[in-house]
């Protein structure tokens, strides 16, 4: 993290100096571990004839996938009051345009791997000429993000630099592109032969830096604390297979005689060994005695430490099987749930900032919306019985819970305000269909009807 005074001027010299101080070694290492490129893969022995298996048990990827799935496997829902129905509809249009659910999942995954995820918010013009508000996840594998904060207690984001390097195959040169985001403009820089030059600068109307950061709990990766444990487990697994190969390649020990190469070849072909009667003579395999129990206990301890430190449960464990009460499951998942709650506390402010930035543009287009009226709601992604929904209905019926809050609490409802509008429309249609219509017959029609009866 870089902190500096907020009264800065964006110059090529400043950008060059900041980029020189930006290190991404930590992010690259964490990404390698998520992908399964662990240290065991690079292990070498001085004796190249020895078995050198390189087994990777990718606990890092498991931890990220399980944690992200539990945290945001069910999409975020948003609640508001009826007075803000139009506002929520406008926001939902922006969310649908940008595939908000997938962007949220990508950001949560990035935060799990690196400790933070980043998105850019921008405006574009549609084919019909209308202004569109867009936001997109920034993949830290393809580009690097440098974040600069002020020196205040609030630690406000005052600048962000998105930069990447590519090779121009035509000119056979390496080019670095850098986009600098501030609270009022976006600057484009390009570095050629070590010299940074400004290409252009465009103003924007977000009123804040249009780069949004989603932090993970404690601002670290979900698996950063168990990397060394995963390395130890990989070594034990690999050495187990190495020792198995040692056993397959065991030496044949012949006692009491000296066998010539020709004799050994005949023994292998005829699978018969003849030893003259001599004291101490015999044949046996020379193998290494393996202490399987000790090694299995050690691997079990490592696994348990990984589950404990990462606060992720072993869902394949037998203790999760059978019929168990909801309260019993809660105690088993308490550390996991504490982890999810910490993620939510870090993720929610970033979602609110996204809404604020979008609202700044909507208000620039002559609206008067207040971003505080939209509340993001998270739901843990665990199988739940229908009784949970029934409990919600009972709470609504007993006037303990409002219908707006109940819709936000039900995971299958993505847009509670729109769902309320649909229910109201269905009720109106039902009343309209079941209301007797008044029939008016004029005098001439009445006379014809009477004559027809006669």
């Amino acid at each position: 993290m870089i902190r500096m005074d907020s009264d800065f001027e964006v110059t090529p010299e400043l950008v060059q100096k900041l980029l020189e101080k930006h290190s991404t070694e930590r992010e690259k290492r964490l990404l390698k571990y998520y992908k399964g490129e662990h240290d065991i893969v690079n292990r070498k022995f001085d004796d190249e004839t020895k078995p050198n298996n390189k087994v990777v048990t990718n606990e890092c990827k498991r931890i990220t996938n399980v944690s992200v799935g539990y945290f945001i496997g069910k999409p975020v829902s948003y609640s508001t009051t009826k007075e803000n129905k139009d506002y929520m509809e406008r926001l939902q249009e922006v969310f649908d345009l940008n595939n908000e659910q997938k962007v949220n999942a990508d950001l949560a995954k990035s935060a799990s791997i690196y400790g933070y995820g980043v998105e850019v918010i921008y405006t574009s013009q549609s084919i019909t000429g209308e202004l569109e508000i867009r936001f997109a996840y920034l993949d830290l594998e393809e580009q690097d993000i440098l974040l600069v904060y002020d020196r205040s207690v609030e630690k406000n984001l005052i600048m962000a630099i998105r930069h990447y390097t590519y090779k121009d195959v035509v000119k056979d040169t390496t080019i670095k592109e850098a986009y600098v985001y501030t609270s009022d403009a976006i600057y484009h820089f390009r570095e050629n032969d070590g010299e940074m030059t400004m290409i252009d600068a465009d103003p924007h109307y977000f009123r804040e830096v249009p780069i949004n950061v989603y932090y993970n709990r404690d601002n670290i990766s979900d698996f950063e604390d168990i990397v060394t444990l995963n390395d130890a487990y990989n070594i034990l697994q690999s050495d187990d297979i190495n020792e198995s190969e040692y056993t397959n390649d065991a030496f044949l020990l012949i006692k009491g005689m000296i066998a010539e190469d020709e004799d050994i070849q005949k023994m292998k072909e005829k699978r018969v060994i003849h030893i003259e009667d001599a004291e101490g003579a015999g044949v046996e395999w020379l193998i290494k005695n393996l202490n399987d129990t000790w090694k299995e206990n050690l691997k079990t301890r490592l696994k348990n430490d990984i589950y404990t430190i990462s606060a992720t449960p072993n869902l394949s464990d037998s203790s999760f099987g059978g019929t168990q009460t909801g309260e019993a499951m809660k105690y088993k998942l308490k550390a996991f749930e504490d982890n999810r709650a910490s993620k939510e506390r870090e993720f929610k402010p970033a979602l609110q900032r996204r809404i604020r930035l979008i609202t700044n543009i909507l208000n620039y287009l002559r609206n008067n919306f207040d971003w505080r009226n939209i509340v993001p709601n998270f739901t843990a992604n665990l199988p739940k019985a229908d009784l949970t929904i029934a409990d919600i209905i009972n709470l609504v019926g007993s006037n303990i819970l409002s219908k707006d809050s109940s819709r936000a609490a039900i995971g299958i409802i993505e847009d509670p305000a729109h769902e309320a509008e649909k229910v109201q429309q269905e009720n109106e249609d039902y009343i309209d269909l079941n209301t007797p219509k008044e029939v008016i017959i004029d005098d001439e029609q009445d006379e014809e009807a009477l004559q027809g009866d006669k």
Side-chain angles (χ1 to χ4, degrees), residues 72-85:
I72 208 162
K74 290 187 177 180
V76 178
S77 63
Y78 301 87
S79 59
T80 187
T81 60
K82 292 182 179 179
E83 291 77 11
N84 295 287
K85 184 182 70 173

Side-chain angles (χ1 to χ4, degrees), residues 350-373:
L351 285 180
Q352 291 174 317
R353 186 173 185 271
R354 173 201 283 171
I355 294 172
R356 184 169 71 242
L357 291 172
I358 293 172
T359 304
N360 288 342
I361 297 298
L362 292 177
N363 289 342
Y364 178 78
L365 300 174
R366 299 181 180 179
N367 294 290
N368 189 25
F369 300 135
D370 187 350
W371 63 272
R372 299 175 186 84
N373 292 325

Side-chain angles (χ1 to χ4, degrees), residues 131-166:
L131 179 69
E132 293 182 340
I133 305 174
R134 309 300 299 264
F135 55 85
Y137 158 69
L138 297 179
D139 191 344
L140 298 183
E141 183 179 3
E142 300 175 352
Q143 55 202 318
D144 298 320
I145 309 295
L146 186 152
L147 304 170
V148 181
Y149 296 86
D150 65 10
R151 302 183 189 278
S152 67
V153 176
E154 292 84 2
K155 198 174 65 174
N156 300 306
L157 181 66
I158 57 175
M159 184 198 304
I161 304 177
R162 177 172 66 91
H163 61 100
Y164 55 90
T165 303
Y166 66 93

Side-chain angles (χ1 to χ4, degrees), residues 339-351:
N339 182 15
R340 188 202 66 81
S342 297
K343 286 175 173 288
E344 181 179 327
R345 283 192 292 271
E346 297 287 349
F347 210 83
K348 188 174 182 178
L351 285 180

Side-chain angles (χ1 to χ4, degrees), residues 260-379:
E260 303 292 338
D261 291 344
E262 184 178 351
D263 296 331
I264 294 174
Q265 185 62 34
K266 289 181 180 179
M267 292 178 188
K268 292 175 65 178
E269 291 175 358
K270 298 181 179 181
R271 308 193 68 79
V272 174
I273 299 176
H274 175 71
I275 299 177
E276 296 180 359
D277 188 12
E279 183 178 354
V283 178
E284 63 182 80
W285 289 107
L286 183 62
I287 61 175
K288 180 180 179 181
N289 294 324
L290 304 179
N291 191 342
D292 291 339
T293 302
W294 175 82
K295 296 195 71 174
E296 288 303 317
N297 288 339
L298 183 56
K299 285 193 287 185
T300 300
R301 284 168 52 195
L302 285 173
K303 276 278 189 177
N304 290 336
D305 286 345
I306 289 173
Y307 293 134
T308 301
I309 295 174
S310 65
T312 54
N314 180 10
L315 297 176
S316 62
D317 190 85
S318 58
S319 62
F320 283 93
T323 57
Q324 299 189 42
T325 64
E327 289 300 318
M329 290 294 291
K330 286 180 181 178
Y331 282 109
K332 291 180 182 295
L333 297 174
K334 185 180 185 306
F336 198 33
E337 174 59 24
D338 291 342
N339 182 15
R340 188 202 66 81
S342 297
K343 286 175 173 288
E344 181 179 327
R345 283 192 292 271
E346 297 287 349
F347 210 83
K348 188 174 182 178
L351 285 180
Q352 291 174 317
R353 186 173 185 271
R354 173 201 283 171
I355 294 172
R356 184 169 71 242
L357 291 172
I358 293 172
T359 304
N360 288 342
I361 297 298
L362 292 177
N363 289 342
Y364 178 78
L365 300 174
R366 299 181 180 179
N367 294 290
N368 189 25
F369 300 135
D370 187 350
W371 63 272
R372 299 175 186 84
N373 292 325
I374 307 298
V375 180
N377 301 286
F378 297 80
T379 305

Side-chain angles (χ1 to χ4, degrees), residues 166-335:
Y166 66 93
K167 188 174 183 63
D168 188 333
V169 294
V170 177
K171 299 180 180 180
D172 193 26
T173 57
T174 300
I175 300 174
K176 175 178 283 189
E177 300 277 357
Y179 291 86
V180 181
Y181 299 82
T182 67
S183 59
D184 53 15
I186 302 173
Y187 304 85
H188 180 197
F189 290 86
R190 181 174 295 145
E191 180 184 275
N192 280 312
D193 298 327
E195 183 178 352
M196 187 73 70
T197 57
M198 183 185 294
I199 306 300
D200 55 42
D202 296 321
H204 65 75
Y205 302 95
F206 288 101
R207 295 163 50 189
E208 299 179 53
V209 178
I211 291 288
N212 203 21
V213 188
Y214 295 74
Y215 287 106
N216 195 37
R217 61 184 180 94
D218 301 326
N219 298 350
I220 64 172
S221 166
D222 279 333
F223 56 79
E224 201 160 355
D225 290 336
I226 61 92
V227 167
T228 54
L229 293 173
N230 204 160
D231 283 337
Y233 191 85
N234 290 339
I235 291 173
L236 284 174
Q237 289 284 74
S238 300
D239 287 347
D240 274 354
I241 301 177
N242 289 343
E243 291 179 351
S244 177
E245 291 188 15
Y246 284 142
T247 301
N248 294 337
D249 296 334
F251 290 96
L252 182 65
L253 177 64
I254 303 177
K255 301 177 181 179
M257 65 171 288
I258 298 176
E260 303 292 338
D261 291 344
E262 184 178 351
D263 296 331
I264 294 174
Q265 185 62 34
K266 289 181 180 179
M267 292 178 188
K268 292 175 65 178
E269 291 175 358
K270 298 181 179 181
R271 308 193 68 79
V272 174
I273 299 176
H274 175 71
I275 299 177
E276 296 180 359
D277 188 12
E279 183 178 354
V283 178
E284 63 182 80
W285 289 107
L286 183 62
I287 61 175
K288 180 180 179 181
N289 294 324
L290 304 179
N291 191 342
D292 291 339
T293 302
W294 175 82
K295 296 195 71 174
E296 288 303 317
N297 288 339
L298 183 56
K299 285 193 287 185
T300 300
R301 284 168 52 195
L302 285 173
K303 276 278 189 177
N304 290 336
D305 286 345
I306 289 173
Y307 293 134
T308 301
I309 295 174
S310 65
T312 54
N314 180 10
L315 297 176
S316 62
D317 190 85
S318 58
S319 62
F320 283 93
T323 57
Q324 299 189 42
T325 64
E327 289 300 318
M329 290 294 291
K330 286 180 181 178
Y331 282 109
K332 291 180 182 295
L333 297 174
K334 185 180 185 306

